[in-house]
Amino acid sequence: MPLSSPIATIPVDQDESLISVGLFQVTRHFVLIGVEAHDHMSTEELTLRPGASDIKVWELQAAEKEWRALNFPLQEKEEILAFKLDERSRLLAVLTWFDEPEKADIRMQLHLVNFDTLHPIQTPVNLVVPWKVEDCREESPKAFIDIYGDLVGICVHELISRSNLRVYNWKSGSQLLNRICSRADEGFSFAFVSDRTVAVANRKLGAIDLVPLSNTPSTHTHRLQVSASILPKSPSSLSLSSASFGNSDLLVFKFGAPFGQQVHLVAARDAILQYSAEVEPPFPSLSIHQLVDDRVDIPWAQWGSIVTVFSNDTLQSDTFMVDATWFVAKTAAEGGHRFMVHDIVADDKVVLDAILDYQDVVVQSDCKRIMGLKSYEYGDGNRCFESIDIYTLE
């Protein structure tokens, strides 16, 4: 499909926009960005302590084309770390923190509100995370949040050496997972495989852990091992991506290494699920010898056939470059970046192959829409928006 000229451009005030994994989202009908007035913060402070004082919304199908401020209710010194909107339930989950380095202890707090009214929803979930200032005197804590049906997951780097992943049923208030690990072992991203399984990146071992959301002692974590031959040398990071819309058919496992090397493993969500503890009985399809320390190890030779590998020439890209069965591979090119949109399920059909002057793109397969993100960098990898161009595939 050829790319048309932009059908619209969304302007962004560079003086107030922030961009990070947690402060930007595109849904079927909305674009959301976290905003922060820069007048009271230096560039160094913005780099080290990203946060937002509000969320702005652009309605893609509205007659009046302008940003609408949510005026999200915050207390003094409270800033937004991450947010996620689920359009179907109208649930907006917002994780905040209190930027008060002069105090001995500060905290993070989860807000679950109705997107249309900003009124708190009726839920027993009341998550307040204590934070020790000695671990974040220089930087704000890192956080990632996702919603999957009745589930909400929050992963936070709570201590300088520890990450914590919590999963709740936001309707019943029950906690389904409280997973603590070393920050050296796992990144702060995760992905729901289903309402019974969550995938967690194991950076130390170069593997993917499929963790059951169950308290049953007989239910084991299944570890998907990745062949060292396809990984970049000395991988320094590993993260997971799924679509912002919660209905993607794909999961993306992203391995990062020094000098910008990236390897993306892309697989269908349903195919990954077949290797989880949800498939009963797991044996004899799995050997009893694969059960080690209450964990089932699954070698690459046993599951690698379901994966499409995009290897070392793939550049760093953000988590929103996947939707339904589409995945975007980004490589360096003269005049910008080369973006190749692959339909993974349709025999890896290339939907678009174009060189565009954008840092990243957002794809939406159902309406054949692509958004080009123009941005500039400040500090160490932090970015601000300039504008968002909207295209349709002909």
Side-chain angles (χ1 to χ4, degrees):
M1 295 182 184
L3 197 63
S4 65
S5 299
I7 62 171
T9 296
I10 302 175
V12 183
D13 186 343
Q14 297 180 40
D15 290 334
E16 65 177 11
S17 73
L18 296 174
I19 181 171
S20 74
V21 170
L23 292 175
F24 171 77
Q25 184 187 358
V26 177
T27 71
R28 287 290 178 256
H29 301 99
F30 302 102
V31 178
L32 296 87
I33 60 171
V35 296
E36 171 66 90
H38 290 191
D39 54 2
H40 71 285
M41 300 179 74
S42 66
T43 301
E44 181 179 4
E45 287 176 316
L46 284 169
T47 301
L48 295 176
R49 309 178 77 83
S53 58
D54 199 8
I55 300 170
K56 283 193 172 181
V57 179
W58 184 281
E59 189 169 350
L60 292 167
Q61 298 178 346
E64 296 183 5
K65 300 299 185 181
E66 60 181 9
W67 289 102
R68 171 174 60 89
L70 286 187
N71 296 317
F72 193 85
L74 297 172
Q75 300 179 44
E76 185 178 0
K77 297 287 189 178
E78 188 178 16
E79 291 202 339
I80 297 169
L81 275 178
F83 59 78
K84 194 63 174 285
L85 170 64
D86 180 53
E87 269 198 40
R88 290 165 295 181
S89 64
R90 312 302 287 183
L91 174 67
L92 176 64
V94 178
L95 190 66
T96 65
W97 81 306
F98 291 83
D99 191 359
E100 300 174 292
E102 68 277 4
K103 293 188 176 181
D105 293 281
I106 56 178
R107 66 192 185 278
M108 289 172 282
Q109 186 165 346
L110 175 66
H111 301 266
L112 299 176
V113 303
N114 179 280
F115 176 61
D116 301 302
T117 66
L118 296 187
H119 294 161
I121 65 168
Q122 297 300 314
T123 175
V125 176
N126 182 22
L127 176 62
V128 178
V129 182
W131 182 270
K132 297 295 183 182
V133 166
E134 58 265 25
D135 293 324
C136 69
R137 193 173 297 278
E138 298 297 331
E139 300 185 19
S140 60
K142 303 295 187 295
F144 182 79
I145 190 167
D146 200 9
I147 301 171
Y148 189 88
D150 295 346
L151 306 183
V152 58
I154 309 99
C155 191
V156 180
H157 284 178
E158 291 183 14
L159 299 173
I160 199 166
S161 60
R162 189 182 81 185
S163 291
N164 194 311
L165 169 60
R166 298 173 175 87
V167 176
Y168 296 89
N169 183 307
W170 59 267
K171 289 185 177 179
S172 69
S174 58
Q175 186 177 70
L176 304 177
L177 183 68
N178 186 14
R179 181 183 175 92
I180 298 173
C181 70
S182 167
R183 284 176 60 175
D185 293 348
E186 298 182 4
F188 69 93
S189 64
F190 63 94
F192 286 107
V193 183
S194 72
D195 58 0
R196 295 169 56 192
T197 302
V198 63
V200 180
N202 191 313
R203 179 171 56 191
K204 184 177 181 180
L205 300 177
I208 308 299
D209 286 346
L210 303 180
V211 182
L213 300 177
S214 168
N215 296 321
T216 306
S218 60
T219 305
H220 306 290
T221 291
H222 287 202
R223 176 164 293 165
L224 303 180
Q225 299 172 336
V226 180
S227 172
S229 64
I230 68 172
L231 296 178
K233 294 181 180 180
S234 304
S236 58
S237 66
L238 170 58
S239 61
L240 293 168
S241 301
S242 61
S244 301
F245 321 116
N247 63 349
S248 174
D249 297 327
L250 303 178
L251 293 178
V252 180
F253 311 121
K254 181 173 63 177
F255 292 81
F259 310 111
Q261 291 180 313
Q262 300 286 315
V263 173
H264 294 77
L265 309 182
V266 186
R269 187 188 298 268
D270 289 345
I272 291 289
L273 193 61
Q274 298 307 306
Y275 293 90
S276 73
E278 291 188 40
V279 178
E280 297 179 354
F283 305 101
S285 59
L286 298 175
S287 167
I288 193 67
H289 299 294
Q290 291 175 241
L291 181 59
V292 180
D293 297 330
D294 284 334
R295 183 191 70 245
V296 176
D297 287 340
I298 302 177
W300 175 255
Q302 197 165 356
W303 76 282
S305 61
I306 70 172
V307 173
T308 302
V309 179
F310 295 88
S311 57
N312 291 359
D313 58 347
T314 304
L315 296 178
Q316 173 71 30
S317 57
D318 285 310
T319 61
F320 38 80
M321 295 175 68
V322 57
D323 176 51
T325 62
W326 287 8
F327 169 74
V328 184
K330 181 178 72 171
T331 54
E334 185 176 352
H337 295 101
R338 182 184 182 186
F339 294 96
M340 295 184 67
V341 181
H342 299 258
D343 192 328
I344 301 296
V345 175
D347 296 324
D348 197 19
K349 174 185 176 182
V350 177
V351 178
L352 174 71
D353 184 355
I355 296 176
L356 304 172
D357 187 20
Y358 297 111
Q359 184 66 28
D360 279 307
V361 298
V362 177
V363 293
Q364 295 181 315
S365 65
D366 65 334
C367 55
K368 302 295 188 291
R369 184 163 57 200
I370 291 180
M371 297 184 183
L373 307 182
K374 289 185 178 180
S375 59
Y376 69 92
E377 290 194 8
Y378 66 90
D380 184 16
N382 295 281
R383 288 188 282 127
C384 282
F385 278 124
E386 293 180 348
S387 63
I388 304 171
D389 292 335
I390 303 176
Y391 298 84
T392 55
L393 291 175
E394 298 174 350

